[in-house]
Amino acid sequence: MLQYILRRTLYIIPILLGVTIIVFSLMHISGDPVKLIYGTNLTEEMLQEKRHELGLDQPIYSQYFNWVSSAAVGDLGVSIRTHANVWDMIRSRIGATLELTIIALFITLLVSIPAGIISAVKRYTVFDQIARIFALFWVSMPYFWLGLILMLIFSINLNILPVSGRGGPLWTWEGLKYIILPSLTLGLPPAALFMRIIRSNMLEIINEDYVRTARSKGLREYNVVIKHAFRNALISVVTLLGLRIPWLFGGAVITETVFAWPGMGRLLVDSIMKRDYPVVQGVVLIIAILVVLSNIIVDFAYAYLDPRIRYD
Amino acid sequence: MENKLNTSKTKSQAKESRFWRRFKKNKLAIFGAAIIIFIILTAIFAPLLAPYDPAFQNYDKLLEPPSFEHPFGTDDLGRDLLSRVIYGSRYTLLVGIGVVIIVAVLGSILGFLAGYYGGKIDTIIMRMVDVMLAIPALVLALAIAGALGGGIWNVIIAIGAVGWTQFARLVRGEVLRIRESEYIQAARALGAGDFKIISKHIAPNMMAPVIVYITLYIPSAILWAASLSFLGLGVQPPYPEWGALIANGRSYISFAWWIATIPGFAIMLTVLGFNFLGDGLRDALDPKMAKNI
């Protein structure tokens, strides 16, 4: 087991190196950053001086090497616009993003697991049909539009929740009320997908021999469904979770922009707009690291849940 | 079971009619196809259908709610929202088709190379896929679109450049599956070259999953493109792309709800259409894939 964890963790290194190449080349397809910032206001000599100052006059591979070697020790450079330290900018926002994504994930599971189980157990009933139609609509909605609709209903018309921003700590109503709409926006659309997967897996499992055996032993229906069937369906939920984690962070970018949630996603969009490429590189890199780490956690959960998976 | 003496032509005809029989039975799939045909016709005949010029600004009618004269209301510059939504269908379809072409070409080539030749080529391509999948597709598409600058073609390039990975995996898997089958070994034994094996034997046998994947991929491409435009990194105003229309309406949402909400229904309808159609195609082309989803 220890060896498996070690090997799985070491596998991050080549992936992250690949990510740094993509992230680095990204900003070099946009043209000369110095010209983009200072435009026509400066003479050619002054531009050259700025380039030298930012290290942009060096050959591309040494620029890459410099960037990666500083990033490896946590130095992501400074913003071209504000000259603030990029890591400090990200650090002050990472908490908000994690808070939003974790609560959204919680909502996804909280809605999809019971709905998926009930849909499978009560197959072809009114509940199943309604859940199916709802699911089809949810997956077809753009996040940002769902966010605006929720905002229109609960903040503008009913006036019970704040329009945007982030409040205090989550254990107080002052803080909690700010996260309700953003986390629903981010958590509900994937719930539809999870529900359908859980339903189809449960249907398959319910017809398996061991479930029939459990029933014939006289176990209560609740025990059969939850302990025997759902525990096995959980494996597919974990698989899907691993696939959806990048989407969660992608969706967070949009949700944060709609609700002015002060996380990394908004920082990313703002920096892309301002062509502040050290910040863009930093945020994309940190998001990729978060995705890779979450995938590792999912892999471990998977190995724990499914005894058939060997660690060697 | 089919008669083994049948020629390959009648066999494929039988397959085709079986497909149609199954497809026609699926009401949701027919409904989805109808929605898509409706959107395509709207896009083609936009100049005939739109009651007003989508760019015409009527300063006497700013932010008018939906009425008989303007069924979807007007926006902050007095432009007719119905006409803008009708014209917006062109951008959505163009993005959907453009992205799918890039994804299909890139994904097929790389997936084929990886699956058919294996070895080092396979390792390099699949590691590339792993790396790409570590960065959320939307985040990467945003960064690429930002670097390239806005505009519909850059949106298509940005989404296509990040979207090929899953498709390449699918193609690779199919190629691996088919490559090992006996009829490919027989063809090789008879002296068929790589090109002939790929074009005559492998490609036709993987059309079903590819068609299903592409149909189900279009809605994601449409949603991403709308998101990019909404964030201001895609199609820029004044062009009436649906995501851009919603972004514009966002500023007026507290007193002119129609500008931001109505284009969203258009996006949802289009995406639903492709989802229904894709599900139906999957069920009809490969009943084994249908299961209970």
Side-chain angles (χ1 to χ4, degrees):
Chain A
M1 180 74 184
L2 193 73
Q3 210 189 359
Y4 170 76
I5 294 177
L6 201 70
R7 206 153 25 92
R8 185 65 188 81
T9 314
L10 281 178
Y11 185 62
I12 301 177
I13 296 169
I15 297 279
L16 283 183
L17 270 179
V19 168
T20 57
I21 293 175
I22 292 181
V23 168
F24 182 77
S25 43
L26 210 67
M27 284 308 124
H28 286 266
I29 52 175
S30 63
D32 187 348
V34 176
K35 270 209 179 121
L36 287 170
I37 302 161
Y38 301 104
T40 47
N41 297 340
L42 300 185
T43 63
E44 191 51 44
E45 284 114 63
M46 289 159 91
L47 282 175
Q48 200 54 44
E49 201 175 298
K50 286 282 170 202
R51 247 172 238 141
H52 182 73
E53 202 180 297
L54 296 166
L56 292 167
D57 55 347
Q58 293 173 22
I60 201 96
Y61 55 86
S62 64
Q63 284 186 43
Y64 170 74
F65 184 76
N66 289 341
W67 181 68
V68 170
S69 47
S70 350
V73 292
D75 175 14
L76 292 171
V78 292
S79 155
I80 295 184
R81 301 280 170 183
T82 61
H83 298 288
N85 183 298
V86 173
W87 171 237
D88 287 341
M89 288 169 87
I90 295 173
R91 202 172 46 184
S92 65
R93 287 159 174 266
I94 204 165
T97 296
L98 288 178
E99 193 178 285
L100 176 63
T101 45
I102 289 169
I103 291 184
L105 192 62
F106 190 65
I107 290 175
T108 303
L109 297 176
L110 203 69
V111 173
S112 63
I113 291 176
I117 294 177
I118 298 172
S119 279
V121 174
K122 310 259 179 213
R123 191 182 178 186
Y124 301 137
T125 58
V126 181
F127 179 90
D128 185 27
Q129 298 295 348
I130 291 174
R132 188 190 158 137
I133 291 168
F134 254 102
L136 280 168
F137 276 94
W138 280 124
V139 291
S140 305
M141 265 184 224
Y143 281 102
F144 56 90
W145 185 70
L146 174 63
L148 288 175
I149 297 280
L150 290 175
M151 194 191 271
L152 187 64
I153 296 172
F154 293 101
S155 311
I156 294 165
N157 283 332
L158 298 176
N159 202 11
I160 46 177
L161 291 169
V163 176
S164 61
R166 185 183 183 211
L170 287 184
W171 49 88
T172 63
W173 172 241
E174 273 308 301
L176 192 65
K177 69 182 181 186
Y178 280 92
I179 204 170
I180 295 175
L181 293 184
S183 55
L184 284 176
T185 303
L186 187 56
L188 282 179
L193 190 75
F194 275 75
M195 193 203 91
R196 288 178 67 170
I197 297 288
I198 293 170
R199 175 182 180 274
S200 88
N201 267 291
M202 286 292 285
L203 283 177
E204 245 170 63
I205 293 165
I206 279 175
N207 293 321
E208 295 270 347
D209 286 344
Y210 66 85
V211 174
R212 210 174 319 139
T213 311
R215 266 211 190 99
S216 61
K217 279 197 298 188
L219 288 183
R220 275 172 42 227
E221 187 62 20
Y222 173 85
N223 279 334
V224 174
V225 170
I226 301 300
K227 288 202 178 145
H228 288 76
F230 179 66
R231 212 195 128 104
N232 283 289
L234 205 57
I235 293 168
S236 63
V237 176
V238 174
T239 312
L240 187 61
L241 210 58
L243 290 171
R244 294 297 299 194
I245 279 169
W247 290 69
L248 192 64
F249 286 104
V253 173
I254 299 171
T255 312
E256 286 176 8
T257 311
V258 172
F259 289 99
W261 188 258
M264 285 192 296
R266 256 189 85 210
L267 179 65
L268 177 73
V269 174
D270 288 348
S271 314
I272 291 175
M273 290 289 199
K274 292 180 194 150
R275 301 203 171 225
D276 194 346
Y277 78 98
V279 185
V280 177
Q281 287 175 328
V283 175
V284 176
L285 184 65
I286 297 293
I287 290 180
I289 291 174
L290 288 176
V291 169
V292 171
L293 289 179
S294 327
N295 275 331
I296 286 191
I297 297 172
V298 167
D299 273 5
F300 291 159
Y302 199 65
Y304 172 78
L305 277 171
D306 191 346
R308 284 171 303 184
I309 294 172
R310 303 247 175 270
Y311 303 125
D312 44 51
Chain B
M1 281 309 276
E2 288 154 66
N3 189 334
K4 281 203 174 130
L5 290 171
N6 274 353
T7 61
S8 63
K9 197 168 183 193
T10 52
K11 247 187 187 173
S12 74
Q13 275 170 350
K15 229 180 180 176
E16 216 173 279
S17 74
R18 207 165 52 208
F19 163 74
W20 274 113
R21 264 206 317 278
R22 281 206 214 101
F23 185 75
K24 273 187 287 190
K25 259 196 241 162
N26 191 333
K27 284 188 196 107
L28 273 184
I30 299 286
F31 181 53
I35 293 175
I36 294 161
I37 292 170
F38 170 72
I39 307 273
I40 293 173
L41 291 177
T42 307
I44 295 173
F45 296 109
L48 298 175
L49 293 169
Y52 299 87
D53 176 350
F56 176 69
Q57 305 179 356
N58 184 346
Y59 292 107
D60 296 330
K61 296 205 177 284
L62 303 181
L63 300 172
E64 292 239 331
S67 64
F68 203 66
E69 207 180 331
H70 296 283
F72 288 0
T74 64
D75 69 4
D76 52 315
L77 296 171
R79 293 172 295 196
D80 178 54
L81 195 61
L82 174 62
S83 308
R84 292 180 73 69
V85 170
I86 289 175
Y87 271 89
S89 61
R90 294 183 158 187
Y91 294 94
T92 301
L93 286 182
L94 187 60
V95 166
I97 296 164
V99 169
V100 157
I101 290 174
I102 296 183
V103 164
V105 170
L106 267 181
S108 309
I109 294 175
L110 293 169
F112 254 115
L113 287 176
Y116 194 77
Y117 293 106
K120 268 198 184 125
I121 300 179
D122 185 26
T123 313
I124 293 172
I125 293 174
M126 285 301 114
R127 285 301 85 81
M128 234 158 82
V129 169
D130 285 347
V131 167
M132 298 276 288
L133 290 176
I135 309 175
L138 186 76
V139 169
L140 194 55
L142 270 175
I144 296 177
L148 294 172
I152 189 155
W153 298 110
N154 288 337
V155 169
I156 293 173
I157 293 171
I159 300 176
V162 299
W164 60 270
T165 49
Q166 297 280 13
F167 190 73
R169 272 192 173 174
L170 172 86
V171 170
R172 174 180 175 270
E174 286 296 308
V175 172
L176 280 178
R177 183 177 63 83
I178 300 168
R179 197 185 63 173
E180 296 310 318
S181 58
E182 277 170 9
Y183 66 85
I184 299 291
Q185 285 169 12
R188 198 169 282 136
L190 287 169
D194 281 355
F195 182 75
K196 192 166 182 197
I197 289 178
I198 290 174
S199 61
K200 286 252 165 164
H201 299 290
I202 297 185
N205 272 303
M206 48 184 285
M207 284 322 279
V210 163
I211 290 172
V212 170
Y213 183 87
I214 281 182
T215 317
L216 289 172
Y217 188 74
I218 293 176
S220 314
I222 290 175
L223 287 175
W224 286 356
S227 309
L228 255 56
S229 299
F230 175 78
L231 295 173
L233 290 160
V235 178
Q236 309 283 335
Y239 298 107
E241 198 271 344
W242 292 338
L245 290 182
I246 297 174
N248 179 42
R250 192 181 156 201
S251 326
Y252 309 100
I253 194 162
S254 53
F255 49 92
W257 55 268
W258 53 93
I259 308 176
T261 48
I262 292 174
F265 284 109
I267 297 178
M268 203 163 94
L269 189 71
T270 313
V271 170
L272 262 181
F274 279 107
N275 278 336
F276 286 160
L277 180 69
D279 279 357
L281 285 177
R282 181 185 56 201
D283 295 358
L285 282 169
D286 186 358
K288 272 178 288 173
M289 281 162 76
K291 286 189 190 162
N292 293 305
I293 295 181

